[in-house]
Amino acid sequence: MKHDVIIACDFKSAEDTFKFLDLFKDEERKPFLKIGMELFYAEGPSIVKEIKRRGHKIFLDLKLHDIPNTVKKAMMVLSRLDVDMCNVHAAGTIDMMRAALEGLTREDGTRPLLIAVTQLTSTSEERMRNELLIDASINDTIVKYAQNTREAGLDGVVCSPLEAGMVHEACGREFLTITPGVRFADGAVGDQVRVTTPARAREIGSDFIVVGRPVTQAEDPVAAYRRCVKEFLGE
Ligand code: C5P
């Protein structure tokens, strides 16, 4: 499916994760889940296998960034884990992204979706200039990194929903935008700065929204997930 709601499972242990997932056991629609570094480093590949066994799709958010050969070898391992989406930093260069794609592609030609992080939302223009010596604006950097990602043959980028339109304009409608920073109109924003609602994210052109705390910390996580699906997918 091209569009979906991905729940960010930012839990510290398998125990917490499964306690959360058990809430969804009677749901017909098994949520697409994002597993990040904290959980993966704490629990290892076994957690990915167990979540897959329960019928969920997985975005393994490990943001690889190393020399092309190392990233290729690491991606070969991840492709055997049978995840549905994984990612790299576009800053690793086009060569690194091509190597990642090669490593991820199985012998039968199938592979998980591969996307790239452009600029982290925690990086300000000021830090780019003073610490990384990048003089271009954040938006120009995002567009250029997205174009590099497309040139390397990857499927899309992670970006703010507010940037999804700009990325599609530069890279085409088929190029995927995966967007965190989603909040309900009546919900808490927390530490996110540039946020928008599921419905508005869809209007701007986001293909997948990544939603964490509005679902995981909700009083009724299943109802919050259903609300996201309804607002984003209209189902
Ligand atoms: O709880 P919340 O909805 O803010 O979670 C968003 C998820 O997306 C977190 O896992 C966060 O690390 C991730 N993310 C983000 N902004 C980015 C990249 C990833 O919020 N630019």
Side-chain angles (χ1 to χ4, degrees), residues 13 141 229:
S13 66
T141 315
V229 169

Side-chain angles (χ1 to χ4, degrees), residues 96-216:
M96 190 209 73
M97 290 193 274
R98 285 198 175 122
L101 204 57
E102 241 182 271
L104 203 58
T105 307
R106 305 181 189 105
E107 267 179 21
D108 63 1
T110 63
R111 63 169 176 80
L113 290 172
L114 182 61
I115 59 172
V117 176
T118 54
Q119 272 303 345
L120 291 170
T121 40
S122 50
T123 308
S124 66
E125 217 158 79
E126 193 188 359
R127 281 178 197 273
M128 271 179 22
R129 204 168 36 247
N130 297 338
E131 297 176 26
L132 308 178
L133 301 184
I134 297 171
D135 282 325
S137 70
I138 287 243
N139 280 356
D140 285 354
T141 315
I142 290 166
V143 165
K144 180 61 178 159
Y145 284 17
Q147 286 167 331
N148 290 351
T149 304
R150 184 161 179 266
E151 195 178 325
L154 276 63
D155 304 294
V157 290
V158 184
C159 60
S160 149
L162 305 171
E163 291 151 5
M166 176 177 94
V167 168
H168 284 305
E169 220 165 88
C171 299
R173 190 62 198 87
E174 292 307 307
F175 190 73
L176 301 175
T177 51
I178 289 80
T179 67
V182 172
R183 292 293 179 263
F184 292 123
D186 53 1
V189 170
D191 57 356
Q192 292 282 15
V193 180
R194 301 181 65 210
V195 299
T196 193
T197 62
R200 183 73 191 122
R202 182 61 188 269
E203 272 168 31
I204 305 173
S206 171
D207 296 294
F208 292 84
I209 49 171
V210 177
V211 190
R213 287 159 292 180
V215 172
T216 57

Side-chain angles (χ1 to χ4, degrees), residues 35-136:
I35 306 289
M37 290 185 209
E38 184 185 10
L39 192 55
F40 189 75
Y41 292 150
E43 302 290 348
S46 63
I47 189 143
V48 171
K49 290 179 189 153
E50 175 56 21
I51 292 175
K52 284 296 295 185
R53 200 189 59 73
R54 289 176 174 230
H56 297 274
K57 287 189 171 177
I58 298 183
F59 166 21
L60 191 56
D61 180 19
L62 298 181
K63 301 187 179 74
L64 275 66
H65 187 175
D66 206 321
I67 60 170
N69 186 56
T70 302
V71 170
K72 179 178 168 180
K73 297 281 169 57
M75 283 297 181
M76 286 170 79
V77 177
L78 295 189
S79 97
R80 291 200 293 272
L81 269 183
D82 196 26
V83 295
D84 300 278
M85 185 187 288
C86 47
N87 61 358
V88 293
H89 269 284
T93 75
I94 293 174
D95 270 358
M96 190 209 73
M97 290 193 274
R98 285 198 175 122
L101 204 57
E102 241 182 271
L104 203 58
T105 307
R106 305 181 189 105
E107 267 179 21
D108 63 1
T110 63
R111 63 169 176 80
L113 290 172
L114 182 61
I115 59 172
V117 176
T118 54
Q119 272 303 345
L120 291 170
T121 40
S122 50
T123 308
S124 66
E125 217 158 79
E126 193 188 359
R127 281 178 197 273
M128 271 179 22
R129 204 168 36 247
N130 297 338
E131 297 176 26
L132 308 178
L133 301 184
I134 297 171
D135 282 325

